[in-house]
Amino acid sequence: MRLRQSVHFFLLGMFVGLSLSGLIYWGFNSIWYGNHLTGHLGRTDVASVSPWLAPIVWEGTFDATLIDSLCKQQNITIATTLFALGKYTRFLKDFLESAEEHYFVGFRVHYYLFTDQPEEVPNVKLGQERYLTVKKVPSLNRWQDISMGRMEILEKLIENELANEADYIFCLDVDTKFYGRWGVETLGRLVGVIHPWFFNVPRFIFTYEHRRKSQAYIPAGEGDYYYTAAAFGGSLKDVYKLTKTCREQMNIDAANSIEAIWHEESHLNKYFFYNKPSKLLSPEYLWRDISMSAGQVKIIRFSHVAKNNAEVRPNL
Ligand code: UDP
Ligand code: GAL
Ligand code: MN
């Protein structure tokens, strides 16, 4: 009898003791470290910070509700530029409808759409505090010129019109569609998006311009990431400097009869090599095509749509 009682007391003591130490340990952790250091945010399968300490935004690295409420207090406007010339007007409806569903929902967005056919712009119902300005531009007969020409048009738009109209700007390809949240987690001084074909390959595969004659030249063995030109952004001041520099460098190339291998994308990569982005977006923010499998990309937020280049472009 005595023995049984002592065993019971012993077990009870053990239970109480262990529970108390657990409680103390938990309390100590949450009081001294908070749950942001010991909690669940962060990824172990991908880098979420660059070597110059710029965040790389992946699903699982931010608290959407928290950053939404922080940014709500700031009354910000995000200018968003789009180009739809020639047959690319066919992409506008899906782009705009999906953007209204997923892109900076609840924030003020002003789309600036450049097209050679304003009459082809679909009538998409925009939400509250969402605006669309259509601007007519001349048609061009080389897709490379349309794509590269965006830099100068963006430079002039920021210079002449945006100063008191917006805080941030994003410049996006139109042959794309949103499938998931693209929100205030993407805002920063200078923002680059990691190209969806080059996030998991060694640097020698990156398709930088390697000819010395071009202003976009990056020496072999150099460079940090390979960025897409289909999406980039940041503060007005920083994107202004980026677009102006790329436009100037492309003009020098033209005068020297050379066109960089991937057009303005090569110049953008050169720019980002010497002017590091303050924030990088993972390929969740520009995927290849929604139907392709995604590896570390757990959420496809924005993606190129499949298109037949020979059919939609004015030249090959
Ligand atoms: N673009 C256009 N009309 C054209 C070719 C290009 O409006 O005939 C614009 C459009 O905004 C497109 C961007 O230039 O998203 C980049 O061209 P494209 O998407 O063909 O390049 P890719 O992403 O296939 O390299
Ligand atoms: C392709 C893309 C091009 C260019 C190229 C760079 O996948 O369609 O626009 O970015 O990669 O190598
Ligand atoms: Mn495109």
Side-chain angles (χ1 to χ4, degrees), residues 46-65:
V46 288
S48 52
V49 63
S50 76
W52 58 92
L53 295 179
I56 309 176
V57 184
W58 293 90
E59 174 68 1
T61 60
F62 62 93
D63 179 334
T65 315

